[in-house]
Each structure stands twice: as structure tokens, then as C-alpha cells.
Amino acid sequence: MARRAAIAAVLASAVSLVAAAATSATGTEPCAEVRNLYLRGNSIPAATGYACLTSVPFDSETGIATVENFKKFSEFHSTLGDIKNPGVGYANEPVDILGMLDNVIAMIKQGKIKNQYQFEEQMALVVGTSFDGHYTFLGNTFYSSLDWYRGGATETGEFEGSLVSVSLDGAALPQVFFATDLNKKDASPIVSIDGVNVVEYLTKESTHQLFHDADARWNVLFARQQSDSPGSFIGPWFYPGPKFTATMANGKTKTIQNYAVVPEALKEKWSQVVDGKSFYKTFVAPGSTSSDSTTDIPERSLRKRYVEKRLVPPNYPKPVIQHADKEVELGAFFLADYTLKEVAVLSINTFDPVASGDSVEFQALIQKFIAYAKSQGRTKMIIDVSSNGGGSLFLGYDTFKQFFPTLEPDIGARMRYSTALDIIGTAFGTITLEDATSGSFDNNGLTPADMYLSPIHYTTSVDANGKDFSSWADMRGPVTINGASYSQIMRYNFSDPYLYQGDTIESVTGYGPLADTPAQPYAAEDIILLSDGYCASTCAAFSDLMRRQGGVRSVVLGGRPAFGPMQGVGGTKGVLVEPWEAIEASIASTLADFGTAAQKKKWAGYLPEAFPIAMSSAPTVNFRSGYHPGSDTPMQFLNESANCRLFYTPAMLTNVTHIWESVARLAWGFGGGTGQT
């Protein structure tokens, strides 16, 4: 909660200082004004921050080069072809990403893009149409140099612009309230924002979230205890305007000022900024001493953009067991209500290990808790994956195997075939195990072991039948599906000891040294998978295995104010994200260690180069799409509703125990059930 407290302290004086700040801005370079206000400890009006960012000059040649390079990089994005014709199960519009990027180039040539912020915003909007958290382009001007906030902090540390979406009795449709008003006797729901119907306004706002499901996008806007966040409505990615006015059902209105906040880690950089040109030199131009296309700005994960999460958020019950590292959000609980003495809860907010040894502890903790829960007569298990953005794929598979040790995970994967991928795969495919272990290959780029263990190398996967690929040509295909080209179906060989390299577990449970496993601890009907739609990447794979193979029922929370089904997995269902640094290293090694001069000259037309601008974090692509057995449709485009949906009630928003108790009564009828089905 350290960052949350720091943000509250910065914003606490916002209301009293904004008028003076706005007045002093007259006649001053807006970027200098931002710097001066920040260094004096004063609040920065959002309009002043926006004036600064839109004063940053734009170089059209650099912009075109950036887009062209990103197009080459996007050739590695596995759903680039699928999303042009995603099928009936996908609720969003089909899009032509490369065509939209060409349109950005056309806008540049026509002089329609006037500043760097506008350029980076256009790039973010194009990438955002994929609704895939594994596909990103995050420029420093648009994304990381300033944070936006709707409203300041109250004396009690609450965020005045934070909203909640809540059903007052759990049966009626949810309404939107200010979080600070919810517990007041005269609380009145918001009916409009800036004159627009509140549902219409917030639905449009939610389209900036990188979730494929509209209900998940809706949930992310609001304060929820499980995410330990005031909601993304108060901290949007884009400029939210100078203020907003909400009208309540009782006719009262509330106007809240918006602010820009300089991230504390950027204090030294902002001290160098006096105008738009110096901003460009500081934040946009690549470092003069490095060829890297990213700056030394600390990378910020999407899930931790606004506040720091804790292992056990406020009002969580005392855990029976929890991970030692507070950043690894894994804890286990026993429900205390006398009618629910049979129920245990495993709260998994992440599969992402942080420090060395975290993966091993994660694996051991789940094993320990399952055994302990069974020994204490806890015959029912709720697995809560709310706000789980993913992490180590092996930990997701391992957790599934701990609950269903006799089942073989059957998710397949494909890469998108491209000439660039083929160039690298052909080169890396010549590296043998002997090269990797003996170091006999004379290399100038990646080590032979790095190339041999790359996800591009054909030996790191087996085919759909569990058989080894004989060569890169055997694995690459290409196979034509839906008008695009892909590799053959690939799966992991969990018995391969070379699969577990780096800081990870020794093996997935049920394989290799962990082949001997206890019997299945719980029947499928005794497990409930709980989510809020914010489940992505590894969480999506884990949820798919638990539901589809394990036969576990699922419950999802919240969603838009409408009756009907909701998906439990609203985030990306891709099974491997690859950052630019990894692909850049593979390209550099290919050019350094393989091919003739003539071949390298030809390859240059297909392989992306270092980006000509600095970015908040390196661009990423979804490198492998997940597939069900026998299906040619990526999991990303399948609509898979949860078995049951519950609306948030006021009690659920402030005490997660009420959620778990409601789910237990609904699922197993304890204490007479909930009256819902």
C-alpha cells in the first residue's frame, strides 16, 4: 500500500492548489510549468499536463520509421490474421491491424499528426483494437511520463473520483455510485457524466481497457477489494479533460477536477525539461549511449499502474497460509461461519513469481494447503482467481495438475508463420543439443544454449500427439487457416528437463522428479472457480483446464448493468507473450552468426530493427495462440460464459468474505443457499 499512500499524499492538496497553479501557468512554457509545479510539490492541473504533452514536437520521418518497424514486429503477433475474421463467438469488431497502421502512415504524410503525443495515442488506439494485453505499444509521451487522475484524495485517503458499480440487494441491476458516497444514508446513484447517460459514458470509457470481454472491461473501471484498487476510471491511460461533472438521481451534481501526476521515479528526468523540445530529448529520443529503443524508465506492469497491490488487502480474513513475498499474491483461507466449516478458499491473484525461489514456494504452498485443508475436514474448495493477470505458465499448469493429477493438459499452440519467423527458425534449427551443451558453436550473438532453448527452436515443443518434431521445417508448417498461415500445433513436453530453465520450478507436478503424486484431492463438483473477468494469460490457461478438462463449475462477479451471462476469462487467452527485447536478440544473433552477406541483405527487408524512439516498456506480441484439441479457432476468440454470475453488493465490495460465503451457499446450498441458481 506504500504507493497508494504516496499517491494520496500527492493528491490531497489538489483542491486548494489548483486555482493558484492554473493562474501561474499564464505565459509559461507548459512543460516548464509542469516541472515547476512538481518540484514545488504543487498539484498539476490535467489541462496543463496535456498542454505540455501536446507541445512535444513530432518528426514525421521518425514517426513513419516507427510505424514501419512496428508493422514488421507485428508479423510475429499470432492473432494478426485471425482478428480480421474472428468468427461468431467474438464479441468485438473484426479489425485489420496492418491496414490501420498503414492509415497512421497516411495521416503522417498528410500532415494530420501534429505532435508526439498525438502520434503515440494513435498507435495505442490501433493496438488497443486487438483487446489483447499481450500486444502493446506504450510510448513515453502518451503512457508513462505523466499519470492522469480524476480527482484528488480526501482527508481519509479515499479517492474522490473513484466509482463503484453495485446492486443494492444482489438481485436488482447494478447502479454506479461514487465510492465515497456508498455508505451514506442519502447516497444517490449517478445517472449521467458530462450530460451523457452514465452507462453509455462508462461503456465507451471501458473500450480503452485491453480485455476482449466487455463485462471485464466494465469491472476494471471500478473500485473492488479483490483488486485492492480504486479503479481505472480515476486513473485513465488517456487525457481525461480538465474536469468532469456527475449528476445523481436526486438531481444533485458533483464536479471533480482532473490532475496530472509525475511518477516519482521520473523526478530526475523531469528536472531536465523546460519545453517540448527538451521533453523530446529526455523522453522520446533514444539514449545517445545505447542502441536500445527503450529508456531506463522503470517498467510498470499494467496491473500495478495505479496502486500497489498487497498479498492480503484490507478486511481480508487472516490467511491460514500465504506466500512469503508480499508481491506474490497467493493466500489460503478457511471460512469461519459455522455453516461453512467445510469450505476452504485458495486466493490466487497472480501466477507471477517475483524473486528467486518464489516459483518453488508457490508450488509447495499449494501442495501444503491442499493437504492441510483435507486434514481439517475442508471438503469444498473455492479457487479465487479474481484480478489475476497471469504469470508463469508452468505454475498455471502445475496448479491444475495438483488438483487433477491424472489428467494430461491438452491445450495446443500455434505461432503465426511469417518470413521473419522462418528466417530465425531455420537458423536456430541448426543448433544441436551438442552445440548447446558443449559450446562448440562459434557464436557472436546469443549462446548456443539460448538459441536451443528458444521457443522458436523445434525441440522445445512436441506435436499434437506428443511426438518430437524432426526439424524446424517439420514444426513450422505453414498450415493455412482462415486465410492466414500458421505453424503446426505444438505442446509442451513436461517430462523434458531442458524445459525448466532459469528461475522456475524443477518440474510440473506429475512429471519427471515429481511423477509420484497424491490421489486427486477434490472431486470436480467440490471445487468452484471464482473470477471477476480480470483473468488473463496463464490464468486463462489454468481456468480453461480446470473447467473444460477438470469439469469444475465457475462463478463470475460483476459486469455491466444488464442481465445475462458473462465470461469468467475476459483477458488475453494467448499462451506466450514475447517482448521486443527477446525478438531483437534473436534477430541480432541470426544476423551475426548465420547466412551469407547476400542472404543478410535480403533478410533485412523482413526483420525489424531497433525502434527509433524510446518507449515506456518494450513493445510485445502474443507469440503463441492457445487452441482446444481439434479446433482451428484460437481460444482468444471463443465465447465461454461462466456457469453463474453474481452482482456485487455493498458488503461484497468492502469484505471479500461476503463474496466467498455467497459463492459457497450458491454452489453447495449451505445454510439454505442464496435463493439463486
Side-chain angles (χ1 to χ4, degrees):
M1 297 296 288
R3 188 174 180 214
R4 181 175 188 147
I7 293 172
V10 170
L11 297 180
S13 61
V15 175
S16 61
L17 292 172
V18 65
T23 301
S24 64
T26 304
T28 305
E29 280 280 352
C31 285
E33 185 65 22
V34 169
R35 181 202 61 183
N36 295 339
L37 288 170
Y38 168 64
L39 294 178
R40 291 198 299 263
N42 292 349
S43 296
I44 305 166
T48 303
Y50 184 64
C52 166
L53 298 183
T54 53
S55 74
V56 178
F58 174 66
D59 181 80
S60 59
E61 290 186 5
T62 300
I64 291 173
T66 300
V67 181
E68 292 286 8
N69 203 54
F70 188 70
K71 285 177 60 181
K72 291 182 180 180
F73 178 61
S74 296
E75 293 287 344
F76 294 96
H77 185 50
S78 64
T79 60
L80 192 67
D82 298 287
I83 202 168
K84 294 172 68 175
N85 185 23
V88 296
Y90 188 62
N92 303 298
E93 293 294 323
V95 291
D96 178 1
I97 298 291
L98 295 182
M100 296 175 74
L101 291 171
D102 284 336
N103 187 57
V104 175
I105 293 175
M107 292 174 64
I108 295 172
K109 292 180 177 179
Q110 294 164 10
K112 294 182 179 180
I113 293 183
K114 305 296 184 182
N115 56 71
Q116 185 68 21
Y117 180 89
Q118 184 187 7
F119 167 68
E120 293 180 13
E121 181 183 46
Q122 285 297 315
M123 293 295 289
L125 290 172
V126 169
V127 172
T129 61
S130 69
F131 295 109
D132 187 337
H134 281 174
Y135 186 47
T136 61
F137 181 99
L138 303 174
N140 282 332
T141 313
F142 172 75
Y143 179 75
S144 66
S145 56
L146 289 175
D147 288 338
W148 305 110
Y149 286 92
R150 287 182 167 111
T154 67
E155 293 181 356
T156 60
E158 296 177 290
F159 296 89
E160 62 176 341
S162 181
L163 306 179
V164 292
S165 176
V166 60
S167 169
L168 296 181
D169 62 2
L173 289 176
Q175 296 174 296
V176 177
F177 294 82
F178 281 106
T180 53
D181 291 347
L182 185 59
N183 294 322
K184 297 178 180 178
K185 291 183 179 180
D186 60 347
S188 182
I190 300 171
V191 295
S192 68
I193 297 177
D194 291 338
V196 179
N197 174 273
V198 65
V199 175
E200 179 183 347
Y201 185 97
L202 293 175
T203 298
K204 182 178 180 180
E205 170 104 4
S206 72
T207 59
H208 294 282
Q209 304 299 322
L210 297 180
F211 295 84
H212 64 81
D213 181 69
D215 289 301
R217 295 197 292 262
W218 176 271
N219 274 355
V220 172
L221 297 178
F222 303 99
R224 292 166 294 118
Q225 188 195 11
Q226 287 157 299
S227 66
D228 192 19
S229 165
S232 66
F233 176 76
I234 75 157
W237 293 28
F238 54 89
Y239 172 58
K243 61 185 178 181
F244 74 96
T245 298
T247 301
M248 273 63 77
N250 61 10
K252 294 182 179 180
T253 62
K254 182 185 291 187
T255 297
I256 292 179
Q257 302 295 323
N258 299 331
Y259 303 97
V261 173
V262 173
E264 188 62 30
L266 302 185
K267 180 176 181 178
E268 181 179 348
K269 288 186 174 292
W270 268 102
S271 67
Q272 304 169 29
V273 174
V274 295
D275 55 18
K277 290 182 179 179
S278 56
F279 181 103
Y280 189 98
K281 181 179 179 181
T282 303
F283 287 103
V284 182
S288 58
T289 60
S290 172
S291 61
D292 292 342
S293 56
T294 53
T295 70
D296 59 355
I297 295 173
E299 183 174 338
R300 300 177 302 162
S301 71
L302 300 184
R303 71 179 285 109
K304 295 179 180 177
R305 176 175 166 84
Y306 308 117
V307 295
E308 177 186 355
K309 283 202 63 176
R310 301 194 315 169
L311 170 63
V312 182
N315 296 319
Y316 262 47
K318 183 179 180 180
V320 175
I321 186 172
Q322 67 184 57
H323 200 287
D325 192 317
K326 73 170 186 175
E327 291 295 331
V328 180
E329 298 137 5
L330 175 67
F333 307 84
F334 287 166
L335 295 187
D337 188 285
Y338 75 95
T339 65
L340 301 173
K341 292 293 187 180
E342 297 179 40
V343 182
V345 178
L346 181 61
S347 177
I348 309 176
N349 291 117
T350 186
F351 287 103
D352 189 14
V354 177
S356 178
D358 281 349
S359 292
V360 175
E361 183 184 350
F362 189 109
Q363 181 184 46
L365 186 151
I366 291 177
Q367 183 181 42
K368 179 179 178 181
F369 178 64
I370 289 174
Y372 183 64
K374 293 286 289 184
S375 72
Q376 297 300 304
R378 300 285 170 160
T379 60
K380 312 293 183 184
M381 179 71 72
I382 295 172
I383 303 175
D384 188 350
V385 292
S386 298
S387 298
N388 187 318
S392 166
L393 191 60
F394 295 150
L395 289 180
Y397 277 114
D398 182 83
T399 305
F400 166 72
K401 287 289 290 184
Q402 291 207 40
F403 281 98
F404 294 99
T406 64
L407 297 181
E408 186 71 21
D410 64 2
I411 294 175
R414 294 187 194 271
M415 297 180 289
R416 180 180 182 274
Y417 175 85
S418 67
T419 301
L421 179 69
D422 193 24
I423 291 169
I424 300 170
T426 299
F428 282 19
T430 64
I431 300 297
T432 65
L433 178 60
E434 181 181 358
D435 293 330
T437 55
S438 68
S440 59
F441 182 82
D442 185 16
N443 66 293
N444 295 300
L446 293 172
T447 67
D450 287 334
M451 289 185 273
Y452 187 79
L453 297 172
S454 164
I456 300 176
H457 200 285
Y458 69 90
T459 59
T460 58
S461 301
V462 293
D463 67 16
N465 298 312
K467 304 297 183 181
D468 291 336
F469 290 107
S470 61
S471 64
W472 164 250
D474 187 26
M475 185 174 79
R476 74 180 177 193
V479 177
T480 301
I481 303 171
N482 201 14
S485 298
Y486 302 90
S487 72
Q488 302 286 359
I489 281 287
M490 303 170 289
R491 289 183 182 164
Y492 287 113
N493 176 10
F494 293 113
S495 297
D496 181 2
Y498 292 105
L499 188 64
Y500 309 99
Q501 301 296 319
D503 182 31
T504 186
I505 53 180
E506 182 181 15
S507 173
V508 167
T509 294
Y511 305 93
L514 301 181
D516 294 330
T517 59
Q520 181 174 319
Y522 292 91
E525 59 266 26
D526 293 328
I527 303 173
I528 289 293
L529 188 67
L530 175 63
S531 176
D532 58 0
Y534 190 149
C535 174
S537 193
T538 296
C539 180
F542 169 73
S543 297
D544 177 76
L545 293 170
M546 292 293 288
R547 292 189 62 209
R548 184 176 50 81
Q549 284 195 261
V552 168
R553 294 172 294 166
S554 61
V555 176
V556 67
L557 299 165
R560 293 168 293 175
F563 296 113
M566 174 179 166
Q567 298 189 75
V569 177
T572 180
K573 298 179 183 178
V575 294
L576 180 63
V577 60
E578 197 77 343
W580 162 242
E581 298 105 313
I583 292 179
E584 182 181 34
S586 296
I587 291 170
S589 291
T590 300
L591 294 175
D593 296 323
F594 302 92
T596 64
Q599 285 176 315
K600 293 176 183 180
K601 183 177 180 180
K602 182 179 180 180
W603 293 346
Y606 300 100
L607 300 175
E609 302 173 337
F611 283 89
I613 64 171
M615 283 178 268
S616 170
S617 57
T620 60
V621 291
N622 188 74
F623 199 63
R624 290 184 177 182
S625 293
Y627 291 82
H628 292 163
S631 173
D632 287 334
T633 301
M635 292 160 54
Q636 175 77 1
F637 302 108
L638 300 177
N639 191 309
E640 300 168 300
S641 299
N643 296 102
C644 184
R645 176 187 178 192
L646 294 176
F647 293 138
Y648 286 105
T649 64
M652 289 179 177
L653 291 177
T654 57
N655 191 335
V656 71
T657 302
H658 288 287
I659 294 177
W660 297 336
E661 290 176 347
S662 296
V663 170
R665 293 189 173 103
L666 173 67
W668 298 296
F670 292 122
T674 64
Q676 294 177 277
T677 58

